[in-house]
Amino acid sequence: MRLATLPDGPDGRLVVVEDGSARAIACRTMLAWLDGGDAALGPEEDWQPEQAMACLPRAWQFLDGSAYVNHVALVRQARGAEMPERFWHDPLMYQGLNLFTGPRDPIPSAPDWGTDLEAEVAVLTGPVPRGATPDEAARAIRAICLLNDISLRGLIPDELGKGFGFVHSKPASALSPLAVTPDALPYDGRLHATVHVEVNGTKLGETRAGEDMTFDFPTLVAHAAKTRDLPAGTVIGSGTVSNRDPDGGPGRPVDAGGRGYSCLAEQRMVETILDGQARSPWLRPGDRVRIWAEADGHDLFGVIEQEVIEWHKLD
């Protein structure tokens, strides 16, 4: 089942998308459906993807992991820092903003922010009890989507230097227009699909989401629920999808025959490792980002397509 949210108040109106048409769902919102609400369908109506909000505009909680430990390893390698062994066995995770922008909403940027995209896979959960096992967590995963985790790299070092986590450097992220139930996807705890990323029409990444994922989604959800109940409407992100080269190298650009990168930071890290310095710029006003995922030539979640704009204070 493919689900989308159309504009109608802050949480929108939930529809099921089938063969170019949409049908309203009785429980009305994605939050209600995730909580086990009535899934009876209404009459058909036109489906216009460009009108879609984030598939879940307001979540109860957003927890973002770093399941592709290769990404963390490259960060450490570029800095000349040792990679802690525990990172391969104990997931990294932080708590982010639980409001999501739409797939076509702009990305505000300022010159010193170091604005970056991060193409991720995310799961939407029903209720998860505290201390859930991975098997119990797997049964609570109700839908899967794409996430563009906006990261302001220029602000991260100062925030992490305080020893208290992200706030300013992690603004609202965008969710794909469609969320899809696991039974309708090539999914076995990992999504087996290619995540495509373009910046200004140039291919940045064609990474494989099902490969090099150290921690699968049931493991991430169970980790998040170790000491807390997770309410229905929790979003768990995978972290940046990241692949190494088959020969163990740090990853080549797409135009050099590699799978490329799901964020600019990783591209810059590889440039630093290979050439001693980063060359690629961060996102700037006027840049356009496109993120989508395919399996067997089929688009899975629709397209996240955002333009970077100059930040200004809202009136």
Side-chain angles (χ1 to χ4, degrees):
M1 186 163 59
R2 306 193 325 153
L3 299 150
T5 296
L6 297 178
D8 187 359
D11 294 311
R13 177 171 60 91
L14 184 63
V15 296
V16 174
V17 178
E18 300 173 327
D19 300 324
S21 65
R23 301 177 71 183
I25 197 164
C27 59
R28 187 170 172 77
T29 68
M30 179 69 85
L31 276 174
W33 179 79
L34 291 169
D35 206 17
D38 187 350
L41 298 177
E44 289 189 3
E45 56 185 278
D46 290 338
W47 163 239
Q48 298 180 10
E50 65 276 6
Q51 294 182 356
M53 302 172 70
C55 53
L56 178 60
R58 296 196 298 182
W60 284 113
Q61 192 165 206
F62 170 39
L63 298 164
D64 201 16
S66 191
Y68 299 89
V69 180
N70 175 61
H71 177 73
V72 183
L74 288 173
V75 172
R76 295 277 172 158
Q77 186 178 351
R79 293 176 180 170
E82 184 179 351
M83 174 74 171
E85 177 63 24
R86 66 176 295 190
F87 284 12
W88 294 101
H89 311 290
D90 186 18
L92 292 170
M93 187 170 284
Y94 74 90
Q95 186 159 296
L97 182 62
N98 60 329
L99 305 177
F100 295 95
T101 64
R104 288 178 169 80
D105 288 345
I107 302 170
S109 178
D112 61 343
W113 283 2
T115 305
D116 197 2
L117 63 105
E118 289 192 64
E120 306 185 13
V121 181
V123 296
L124 314 181
T125 78
V128 184
R130 181 178 64 243
T133 66
D135 285 344
E136 292 169 332
R139 292 192 289 273
I141 293 171
R142 302 210 63 195
I144 299 167
C145 64
L146 288 180
L147 168 72
N148 184 12
D149 176 35
I150 304 302
S151 296
L152 306 180
R153 306 292 186 184
L155 306 184
I156 287 176
D158 181 61
E159 285 206 305
L160 292 187
K162 297 177 181 178
F164 218 52
F166 303 115
V167 178
H168 298 154
S169 52
K170 291 288 187 175
S173 297
L175 292 183
S176 56
L178 294 171
V180 184
T181 53
D183 63 327
L185 292 168
Y187 172 80
D188 59 4
R190 296 172 172 84
L191 177 69
H192 296 278
T194 300
V195 177
H196 296 266
V197 180
E198 291 180 354
V199 177
N200 297 328
T202 299
K203 292 181 179 179
L204 177 66
E206 294 179 342
T207 53
R208 310 298 196 269
E211 299 178 21
D212 302 317
M213 189 179 189
T214 307
F215 306 105
D216 65 10
F217 279 111
T219 300
L220 291 177
V221 175
H223 178 81
K226 181 176 180 178
T227 62
R228 63 173 76 178
D229 295 324
L230 304 182
T234 293
V235 178
I236 307 286
S238 68
T240 306
V241 180
S242 178
N243 298 145
R244 276 192 175 264
D245 284 333
D247 62 5
R252 288 170 293 161
V254 173
D255 60 10
R259 295 181 180 175
Y261 319 103
S262 295
C263 68
L264 292 169
E266 188 160 313
Q267 182 180 41
R268 289 167 56 90
M269 286 182 280
V270 172
E271 291 168 352
T272 300
I273 291 167
L274 298 180
D275 304 325
Q277 62 179 357
R279 301 185 307 276
S280 299
W282 301 118
L283 295 173
R284 294 171 289 200
D287 288 344
R288 298 192 67 88
V289 172
R290 297 185 79 243
I291 301 170
W292 74 100
E294 294 181 358
D296 297 324
H298 298 289
D299 174 65
L300 300 180
F301 308 105
V303 181
I304 296 174
E305 186 167 5
Q306 300 178 273
E307 181 178 356
V308 182
I309 63 170
E310 186 173 354
W311 178 87
H312 63 278
K313 187 175 181 180
L314 297 176
D315 295 332

